[in-house]
Each structure stands twice: as structure tokens, then as C-alpha cells.
Amino acid sequence: MRRARIIDPFEPAEIRRLVREFGSPLLILDCARVRAQYRKLKRALPRVNLHYALKPMPHPAVVRTVIEEGGFLDLATSGEVQLAARLGVDPARCIHSHPIKRAADIANALEFGVRTFVADNPDEVRKFARCAGEVELLLRVSFRSPGAVCDLSRKFGCDPEAVLPLARGAAELGIGVRGLSFHVGSQTPDATKHVEALEACTRLMAAARRERLGAFDTLDIGGGFPIDYARRVQDIGRFCAPLRAAIAKLPQRVRVIAEPGRYIVGPAAVAVASVMGRAQREGHWWYYLDDGLYGSYSGQLFDHARYPVVPLREGGELLPAVLAGPTCDSIDVIAENLMLPKLKEGDLIVGRAMGAYTWASATDFNFFPRATVVAVNTRRGDGSGVVETLP
Ligand SMILES: *Cc1c(COP(=O)(O)O)cnc(C)c1O
């Protein structure tokens, strides 16, 4: 057996080595950092079961790392169910949180063994009438969050006033309701909205229990936990302090779960792109990279993120520069008005905090393939990279 070797894959020498081995563009996913993020959030919310939401980075190495840490999963699609099944995850550790599902999505999740589902309207509740004995529901409630970078309560969730009628409908069909869920939005600046939603849900759960509408002993506080990009955010311990205080006031029998996505994977990956060519235009050096807005940097469009981007080359005179993606589309520009050393073909550019909503929303527009994801520091303690095929 090879000796286990811990490396820091974000160090320039290691980045160069991994690009030599796996090519460019590359997304280097450091499972040691996934573990560290998981542990930090768990320390900040000790009473909360953390269900990693696969959406920001549905990669087997992340799923395995979270499960090895004793974590849980939040699945939302049949593809995510398939991935969890392929990795042999215990379905009892999974919930299905998409409020709108096709019959086949429900069937796939049930066949895998998932029992907890989310619904937010009467039609969706009725989809469980035929399997009432096998499932328990969380009703998703909407609390608008205009302050969040991504408000996730516009598209899903019922008004707080609709919760009890919805629960009555489920009870009439013999469908057990386990509790409520919410997602106040992603990359929220502070936990004010989480706390407001938690308190409103606590009152609704008590009312539903008084009416004997179901167990109502589970509260799912969603995701939204913020990370540092170009702009820094509160440390997670401080961010969660008001939430911890609110959770401490809940009756002991209330089980609290969360669905963190971004926080677990965002800081755990860097994107590495290479300069394909360059040109001088209007006093600026334009560098054309093999990854861009249609690839790993898609999060700049869809997720409204701004990643810290730096060349590995250091020193030399700083000149006005533009970093552009590889496609023939003129919107495919990563960053402008930078001051960079003069770069050459083959020079590497590194984007930090690029684990969440980057590769996951990348396309292969213009036939530029998505970056290869290489996972390092997987459980075996092995610093060599692993590339896995995805479903
Ligand atoms: C996207 C999503 C998450 C993850 O949110 P983050 O802000 O990345 O933590 C969790 N739950 C649901 C239902 C989601 O849609």
C-alpha cells in the first residue's frame, strides 16, 4: 500500500502538479476542507442534524465525506437519489426536499428507501395519498427574504396561514405530517430571517399539535449559511449564535435539521484555468482562458457570486487586464479592470471559493467541456487525486 500523504492542494506547487496530471480546466475539490466545513457548522449548531444539499456540488467525494462525518443528505431529484443509492448511503439518512415532484420522482425515492418528503400545496400532498402509510411529510413554509443574495422563498413554500389547512388536508388522507421546513435564501447576511422563520414555525407546529394534525416534531431550517467570497461574511459561530439561542428554547422533543449546501462545499474547491491565448485591446491585455462564464464561472451569472481570481504567476509589472472565457460569446468575460502581471499561454489562473454552484451549473456551450473535478484528501488520507465518473 502507498503511504498516506496529506497535501494542501491549494498550494501553487500542488496546483501545478495536479494540472500536469489531470489537465485543464480543473476543479480541485479538497475533502479535508469539506470535512472542516462540516465540523465547523456542526460545532456552531450542535443540536442540528446536517443534511448536505447535493445541488451546489453533486459529487460522490463530497457525499462520502459528509456521510463519513456522521452527516445526512438532502436529495431533491431522481439523479441525486440515484447517486446516493450508487454510493450505498443508508436511505434513513436522507430526506427528499423538492416541493414539486413527478410520480416517477416519488417512486424512485421510495424505492431507494427515502421516507421523508416535502410538500407545499394541496395537489402535491395528494400525490402521497396512495403511499400514505409509507411516508411522512414536511410542509414547506415561505418566508420572503429580500436581503438574501438568492431569495428561495418566492418559488416555493406556502404562506404561514396556509399551513394548518394543508395539514388538515394531509390528515384527512391519512398522511403523517412530521413537521415544517423553510429555506430563507442562500448566502444570507445574518441569521435574523432564520430566527424569525424558526419562531413562526414553532408557533404553527404547536397549533397543529393542539389540533392533533400529526407528530409535528421536526423542524427543517434549510440552508443559506454564508461563506467568504470577494466580500467577507460573519464567522459561522457568530452567524449561528442567535439561531442556537432560538433552538435552545425549543421543547427537547423537537428534532431540528438543516440543509446546508454552499457552506459545506463552497470553500472546499478552487477552479484552475489556463491561458489559451492573449491579445492587446484598447490598452488592456485580454487573456482568454479555457474556463469561463459558461463553465465553472457560471455562478457569476446564476448565483450572483464574485470569486477571488488570481494568476499563479507572481512578480513583474502589473498591467491592466481582462480575463475572458473560451467561448465565442462576448458576455463570456470573467473579470475586467484587473491589474495583472503579463501572462503567457499556459499560465494558470486560480479562482477561490469555487465549490458551490459553479461546476454544477456549468454547460458545454461551444463544445468546451466542463472542468474535470479531481477530489483529493479523500478518507484514505491519501493526497493523490481521484477523478470519478458522475451519473
Ligand atoms: C439549494 C437548497 C439548499 C442549499 O442551500 P444553501 O444556501 O446552498 O445552503 C437547501 N435546501 C433546499 C431545498 C435547496 O433548494
Side-chain angles (χ1 to χ4, degrees):
M1 225 181 95
R2 254 182 320 163
R3 278 263 313 277
R5 191 166 66 93
I6 294 289
I7 60 166
D8 186 348
F10 295 1
E11 289 295 326
E14 285 300 336
I15 290 174
R16 288 199 178 88
R17 184 183 70 77
L18 288 165
V19 169
R20 274 197 302 278
E21 187 173 354
F22 297 99
S24 168
L26 203 59
L27 201 99
I28 304 172
L29 176 60
D30 180 10
C31 295
R33 283 179 165 88
V34 171
R35 260 189 296 279
Q37 289 298 106
Y38 178 89
R39 288 176 188 179
K40 273 196 275 184
L41 187 55
K42 187 69 196 166
R43 261 199 310 280
L45 293 172
R47 216 185 116 177
V48 179
N49 282 351
L50 303 180
H51 287 252
Y52 169 60
L54 271 63
K55 181 180 57 184
M57 175 48 92
H59 194 279
V62 183
V63 172
R64 272 196 217 99
T65 304
V66 167
I67 293 295
E68 285 159 12
E69 286 294 305
F72 302 80
L73 299 183
D74 168 23
L75 309 174
T77 65
S78 286
E80 293 176 1
V81 166
Q82 226 172 58
L83 176 56
R86 178 159 73 83
L87 297 177
V89 174
D90 176 359
R93 303 189 84 76
C94 303
I95 61 170
H96 192 292
S97 71
H98 201 309
I100 308 290
K101 301 156 290 298
R102 293 163 292 198
D105 298 320
I106 296 174
N108 291 337
L110 280 175
E111 194 191 326
F112 169 49
V114 174
R115 291 292 166 258
T116 308
F117 291 84
V118 169
D120 69 358
N121 70 82
D123 282 336
E124 203 68 23
V125 168
R126 270 193 293 276
K127 290 181 184 173
F128 293 96
R130 280 174 44 208
C131 53
E134 293 175 70
V135 298
E136 50 188 35
L137 297 187
L138 300 174
L139 303 180
R140 177 148 162 190
V141 195
S142 159
F143 299 96
R144 296 301 302 273
S145 186
V149 177
C150 311
D151 181 357
L152 289 179
S153 274
R154 184 170 92 92
K155 186 168 167 184
F156 298 117
C158 67
D159 289 334
E161 303 75 51
V163 165
L164 291 177
L166 200 54
R168 286 178 202 122
E172 275 163 29
L173 293 169
I175 303 166
V177 179
R178 204 58 204 259
L180 301 181
S181 80
F182 59 80
H183 195 305
V184 294
S186 206
Q187 188 72 0
T188 44
D190 59 58
T192 312
K193 273 283 157 193
H194 284 90
V195 171
E196 278 172 25
L198 182 147
E199 289 173 350
C201 283
T202 306
R203 288 190 292 275
L204 287 166
M205 299 223 300
R209 261 199 314 272
R210 279 196 297 277
E211 265 195 59
R212 300 185 190 289
L213 294 176
F216 281 93
D217 60 358
T218 302
L219 182 54
D220 178 349
I221 63 173
F225 307 98
I227 62 166
D228 290 339
Y229 288 107
R231 187 183 307 164
R232 303 205 45 174
V233 298
Q234 289 185 59
D235 152 79
I236 197 67
R238 261 185 64 195
F239 176 93
C240 288
L243 251 177
R244 268 198 309 280
I247 290 169
K249 286 189 245 156
L250 295 177
Q252 202 54 45
R253 81 189 129 70
V254 175
R255 181 172 61 119
V256 185
I257 69 179
E259 302 169 347
R262 181 192 308 279
Y263 188 82
I264 303 292
V265 286
V270 293
V272 190
S274 306
V275 175
M276 308 196 306
R278 64 183 187 185
Q280 254 183 320
R281 304 187 195 287
E282 294 171 353
H284 291 243
W285 274 106
W286 280 65
Y287 299 109
Y288 299 85
L289 312 181
D290 55 7
D291 201 353
L293 282 205
Y294 286 93
S296 304
Y297 289 84
S298 56
Q300 292 196 174
L301 283 178
F302 296 129
D303 192 38
H304 318 292
R306 271 284 157 182
Y307 311 105
V309 188
V310 290
L312 278 195
R313 176 185 294 277
E314 284 184 345
E317 191 190 351
L318 297 180
L319 303 167
V322 177
L323 294 177
T327 70
C328 300
D329 186 347
S330 60
I331 73 155
D332 190 4
V333 171
I334 296 169
E336 299 186 61
N337 299 315
L338 302 171
M339 293 299 288
L340 299 181
K342 194 162 161 188
L343 303 178
K344 299 199 311 271
E345 186 182 341
D347 270 349
L348 300 181
I349 303 290
V350 177
R352 310 240 165 217
M354 287 194 63
Y357 306 108
T358 53
W359 179 85
S361 55
T363 72
D364 61 358
F365 178 53
N366 241 186
F367 285 154
F368 284 104
R370 295 206 276 178
T372 301
V373 181
V374 58
V376 301
N377 295 321
T378 54
R379 178 175 48 162
R380 294 137 206 108
D382 189 343
S384 60
V386 186
V387 174
E388 292 182 77
T389 53
L390 290 150

